């Protein structure tokens, strides 16, 4: 059974940077897409970014050019480097692989 543990969240000022990590335990196939999601206020989780085993990446339009997703297949870990953060991006960020979700890590961006 796959388990996901996120880390790296915290408090940062607007314009600052954070790097999130998600470590997966269990069997992760290289073909699995790994991703990060966050819920806008009052809404369901939305895509932030995903990365395939091949390295192909996909980003929400709102984060393109500011966020970078990457993965280390040997470590079963996916990262999200976030820069130029905005206060409205304050949220719990969740890691996802297939049908498994982590518990999330809180990112707070102060204005």
């Amino acid at each position: 059974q796959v388990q996901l543990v996120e880390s790296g969240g915290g408090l940062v000022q607007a314009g600052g940077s954070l790097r999130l990590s998600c470590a997966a335990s269990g069997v992760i196939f290289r073909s699995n897409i790994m991703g990060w999601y966050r819920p806008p206020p009052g809404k369901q989780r939305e895509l932030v970014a995903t990365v395939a085993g091949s390295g192909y990446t996909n980003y929400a339009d709102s984060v393109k050019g500011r966020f970078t997703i990457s993965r280390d297949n040997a470590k079963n870990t996916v990262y999200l480097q976030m820069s130029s953060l905005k206060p409205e991006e304050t949220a719990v960020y969740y890691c996802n692989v297939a049908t498994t979700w982590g518990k999330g890590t809180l990112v707070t961006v102060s204005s």
Side-chain angles (χ1 to χ4, degrees), residues 29 50 61 76 101 111:
F29 295 104
T50 60
D61 288 342
N76 281 344
W101 294 88
S111 57

Side-chain angles (χ1 to χ4, degrees), residues 4-47:
L4 304 174
V5 178
E6 302 99 332
S7 61
L11 174 64
V12 63
Q13 288 188 331
S17 299
L18 279 176
R19 188 192 194 209
L20 306 184
S21 299
C22 172
S25 61
V27 179
I28 301 293
F29 295 104
R30 187 178 292 263
S31 60
N32 285 141
I33 294 174
M34 303 180 77
W36 290 95
Y37 293 76
R38 67 188 179 195
K43 297 184 179 181
Q44 297 292 321
R45 294 170 192 167
E46 66 176 9
L47 168 74

Side-chain angles (χ1 to χ4, degrees), residues 13-94:
Q13 288 188 331
S17 299
L18 279 176
R19 188 192 194 209
L20 306 184
S21 299
C22 172
S25 61
V27 179
I28 301 293
F29 295 104
R30 187 178 292 263
S31 60
N32 285 141
I33 294 174
M34 303 180 77
W36 290 95
Y37 293 76
R38 67 188 179 195
K43 297 184 179 181
Q44 297 292 321
R45 294 170 192 167
E46 66 176 9
L47 168 74
V48 176
T50 60
V51 57
S54 63
Y56 178 82
T57 56
N58 182 44
Y59 295 93
D61 288 342
S62 61
V63 307
K64 286 180 180 177
R66 299 186 297 117
F67 290 14
T68 301
I69 190 170
S70 60
R71 66 191 281 171
D72 185 331
N73 290 323
K75 296 181 179 180
N76 281 344
T77 301
V78 60
Y79 306 96
L80 185 68
Q81 178 68 48
M82 307 184 293
S83 60
S84 301
L85 282 160
K86 305 174 182 179
E88 56 266 34
E89 295 180 309
T90 292
V92 177
Y93 285 68
Y94 295 91

